[in-house]
Amino acid sequence: MNPEQLRRYLEFYRDMGVKTVYRREKPVVQAPAGEFDTLERIRADIGDCTRCRLHQGRHKLVFGVGNEQARLVFVGEGPGADEDAQGIPFVGRAGQLLTQMIEGTAKKEGIPLLRADVYICNVVKCRPPENRTPEPDEMEVCSQFLARQLEVIRPKAICALGGTAARALLGRKDGVTRLRGNWFRWRDIPVMVTYHPSYLLRPYNQNAKREAWEDLKKALHFVYD
Ligand code: URA
């Protein structure tokens, strides 16, 4: 409404005997501009990232995959060669094991759940050279994006896969063996720590495999019961 229209509008009500007008209150629940986040917006903000040295060797940035409304989010360490080639997390051997673990445990426990129902991402979005552990500064730069992903999805629980994910989410330096099978928190969201699937692929870690299935069972029942 332009000022002239407003003047005539107010004159109309004045002529009808209305002495006071009030501006309508703003809605109580507002999404202030800039605070409404989505996975799409986060991906756009990351862009063709050069914020840390990991961009130098990457082929594809690996953002995350799965259901934006997932009740369970898995966080790994960083992309490997297959993920770097495809731009999708956990698609190599470790990824196949993770898929088997999710779907196999769910089926055994009578929970109708497929990999596509959860959300999967990593602490760092670009592959570290030779699959080395991400450096603290690389994790720090990328952590803002992981935090935004978790805040957008707001899952009922997070599963931290391995020591790097546990360190990034919980700020704890303890080894996975000490942390696994227990609940912690990222902000107010419960976090279950378990072994990284790559660790479970090593033939001498069969006992850990059993423990990882137990951890996952616990997480699935917590989320889906
Ligand atoms: N290992 C990870 O930590 N993340 C992947 O996406 C693949 C392997």
Side-chain angles (χ1 to χ4, degrees):
M1 195 183 289
N2 65 38
E4 180 54 24
Q5 284 170 323
L6 178 63
R7 190 181 60 75
R8 272 190 270 128
Y9 187 78
L10 292 172
E11 276 176 4
F12 171 79
Y13 281 101
R14 184 200 58 200
D15 294 347
M16 285 183 46
V18 174
K19 292 200 173 61
T20 317
V21 293
Y22 298 93
R23 272 174 63 170
R24 190 184 295 150
E25 288 289 326
K26 286 185 180 158
V28 176
V29 180
Q30 287 192 92
E35 281 193 21
F36 179 67
D37 213 358
T38 62
L39 292 179
E40 206 181 333
R41 185 171 289 182
I42 303 165
R43 180 63 192 88
D45 287 348
I46 296 178
D48 195 12
C49 187
T50 56
R51 293 171 181 84
C52 85
R53 65 186 81 81
L54 292 183
H55 81 277
Q56 291 162 359
R58 110 179 144 227
H59 292 100
K60 287 195 173 159
L61 191 143
V62 180
F63 178 66
V65 71
N67 185 347
E68 183 152 5
Q69 268 120 43
R71 284 194 267 168
L72 182 59
V73 172
F74 289 85
V75 179
E77 178 173 304
D82 296 302
E83 292 76 20
D84 176 60
Q86 295 186 44
I88 305 167
F90 284 99
V91 288
R93 277 186 72 215
Q96 284 161 25
L97 177 58
L98 178 64
T99 307
Q100 265 177 37
M101 288 172 67
I102 296 168
E103 298 191 351
T105 312
K107 193 168 177 196
K108 206 161 158 212
E109 298 302 308
I111 300 164
L113 181 76
L114 296 173
R115 171 180 161 129
D117 299 320
V118 302
Y119 190 83
I120 303 174
C121 57
N122 284 302
V123 171
V124 293
K125 311 299 189 220
C126 297
R127 183 192 182 198
E130 313 297 323
N131 297 338
R132 66 156 168 76
T133 307
E135 302 285 349
D137 63 326
E138 296 158 355
M139 287 167 53
E140 174 65 30
V141 169
C142 225
S143 67
Q144 56 177 311
F145 301 115
L146 176 61
R148 283 174 64 189
Q149 285 173 299
L150 295 172
E151 284 292 357
V152 164
I153 300 169
R154 287 239 127 238
K156 196 164 171 206
I158 298 165
C159 185
L161 300 167
T164 302
R167 215 164 304 131
L169 292 168
L170 310 174
R172 298 178 67 124
K173 291 216 169 83
D174 316 58
V176 191
T177 321
R178 282 179 71 96
L179 301 174
R180 64 146 287 272
N182 295 302
W183 288 107
F184 299 90
R185 270 176 201 277
W186 177 81
R187 301 191 180 165
D188 57 337
I189 304 175
V191 177
M192 167 63 65
V193 178
T194 195
Y195 295 107
H196 192 287
S198 302
Y199 176 76
L200 303 175
L201 284 170
R202 300 176 202 162
Y204 43 88
N205 291 333
Q206 291 313 296
N207 204 38
K209 211 166 180 174
R210 237 185 329 273
E211 290 174 327
W213 286 75
E214 285 303 313
D215 302 341
L216 197 51
K217 201 162 108 181
K218 224 188 250 186
L220 291 183
H221 281 295
F222 173 78
V223 172
Y224 295 99
D225 278 357

